[in-house]
């Protein structure tokens, strides 16, 4: 599962990193604690030179009314699920990240949050799928983050992890056919991801500041449940 993200690289560096321009309504604001239901800045296959903001939570196209949507999709089965059918076939995207968060329950105890990041890259890309939900009075562009089995680093923290793309696979993810993209949905193969314990301040989405990423104490105040596929 990937239930919390961050993206706090400077805009100029973000645009240079992905060779794309921010076009989102409202522009770009660095975020340290992006929760489901917030907007994620993404790069789609239809506009690889643009960084836009989409609702985090893919809304089923058959839904009569707006709902928060599905924040994660299991990459092993996304191509078999009706809700992801058209997104998997032709709507891949990159989800830039300065680091995502995961929670571990040691021996069934209180959940301890971790920050997972790439020290040599201030923004990396997770694999996502985008779609457009059309209601009676509104249209919402939305996105879900694909997950896979954990790599060695994540295995001690959680039994799932987002599909983190090696940098040289990012353009392939956007341009390849669905079969090739399926092959890219692997546990992150390199050893440049790192993780450390952080304060439970991240549990509250209202805490959206640099203190969130600081290694602090183990105080636990509770963690909400998010919908994930």
């Amino acid at each position: 599962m990937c239930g919390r993200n961050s993206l706090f690289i400077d805009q100029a560096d973000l645009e240079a990193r992905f060779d794309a321009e921010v076009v989102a309504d409202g522009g770009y604001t660095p975020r340290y604690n992006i929760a489901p239901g917030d907007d994620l800045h993404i790069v789609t296959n239809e506009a690889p030179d643009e960084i836009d903001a989409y609702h985090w939570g893919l809304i089923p196209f058959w839904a009569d009314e707006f709902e928060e949507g599905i924040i994660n999709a299991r990459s092993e089965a996304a191509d078999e699920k009706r809700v992801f059918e058209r997104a998997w076939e032709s709507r891949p995207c990159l989800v830039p990240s300065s680091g995502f968060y995961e929670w571990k329950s040691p021996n069934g105890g209180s959940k301890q949050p971790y920050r997972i990041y790439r020290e040599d890259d201030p923004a990396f890309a997770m694999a996502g799928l985008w779609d457009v939900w059309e209601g009676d009075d509104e249209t919402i562009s939305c996105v879900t983050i694909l997950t896979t089995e954990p790599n060695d680093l994540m295995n001690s923290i959680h039994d799932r992890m987002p599909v983190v793309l090696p940098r040289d696979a990012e353009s392939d993810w956007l341009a390849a056919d669905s079969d090739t993209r399926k092959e890219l949905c692997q546990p992150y193969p390199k050893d440049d991801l790192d993780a450390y314990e952080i304060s439970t301040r991240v549990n509250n989405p209202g805490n959206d500041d640099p203190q969130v990423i600081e290694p602090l104490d183990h105080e636990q105040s509770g963690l909400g449940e998010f919908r994930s596929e």
Side-chain angles (χ1 to χ4, degrees):
M1 175 174 173
C2 178
R4 208 66 66 85
N5 190 35
S6 68
L7 185 63
F8 48 80
I9 184 175
D10 289 341
Q11 180 172 331
D13 293 334
L14 175 65
E15 292 176 329
R17 167 63 176 81
F18 290 95
D19 193 22
E21 180 182 359
V22 172
V23 299
D25 290 343
Y28 166 77
T29 301
R31 296 285 309 277
Y32 290 84
N33 196 356
I34 306 172
D38 292 346
D39 283 344
L40 287 173
H41 282 81
I42 71 169
V43 178
T44 72
N45 61 316
E46 290 194 351
D49 58 348
E50 297 180 352
I51 302 171
D52 209 344
Y54 282 28
H55 169 83
W56 186 6
L58 192 143
I59 306 167
F61 59 85
W62 61 76
D64 293 329
E65 298 180 355
F66 168 80
E67 58 181 66
E68 288 300 316
I70 304 170
I71 65 170
N72 292 156
R74 296 175 68 92
S75 61
E76 299 91 336
D79 60 338
E80 303 171 359
K81 300 288 187 179
R82 179 170 173 248
V83 66
F84 305 122
E85 181 178 2
R86 63 185 184 184
W88 176 265
E89 185 63 29
S90 60
R91 295 179 174 180
C93 65
L94 303 176
V95 182
S97 177
S98 296
F100 61 93
Y101 306 105
E102 194 52 82
W103 285 259
K104 177 181 179 179
S105 298
N107 301 318
S110 298
K111 293 182 177 180
Q112 171 61 48
Y114 285 75
R115 176 180 180 239
I116 299 91
Y117 70 107
R118 203 152 76 188
E119 188 171 7
D120 65 347
D121 198 348
F124 54 89
M126 300 183 289
L129 302 174
W130 65 274
D131 208 340
V132 178
W133 175 78
E134 297 180 358
D136 292 336
D137 302 316
E138 60 181 334
T139 298
I140 297 175
S141 298
C142 50
V143 59
T144 191
I145 295 173
L146 289 161
T147 66
T148 186
E149 296 292 323
N151 63 5
D152 289 343
L153 173 73
M154 287 298 298
N155 190 51
S156 64
I157 300 174
H158 201 271
D159 61 0
R160 301 290 296 176
M161 72 176 296
V163 176
V164 176
L165 295 166
R167 190 163 181 168
D168 58 7
E170 293 171 2
S171 59
D172 290 341
W173 174 256
L174 292 180
D177 59 40
S178 58
D179 289 338
T180 302
R181 282 189 280 105
K182 182 85 168 183
E183 297 174 1
L184 294 175
C185 291
Q186 303 293 332
Y188 186 66
K190 299 186 178 183
D191 61 2
D192 55 356
L193 279 182
D194 204 352
Y196 60 88
E197 297 177 354
I198 58 172
S199 164
T200 53
R201 292 186 80 253
V202 70
N203 295 0
N204 182 351
N207 296 325
D208 190 6
D209 54 60
Q211 292 183 28
V212 168
I213 67 171
E214 295 178 359
L216 292 176
D217 56 47
H218 293 260
E219 180 186 358
Q220 179 66 28
S221 60
L223 174 64
E225 293 298 326
F226 304 123
R227 181 183 175 192
S228 183
E229 189 277 324

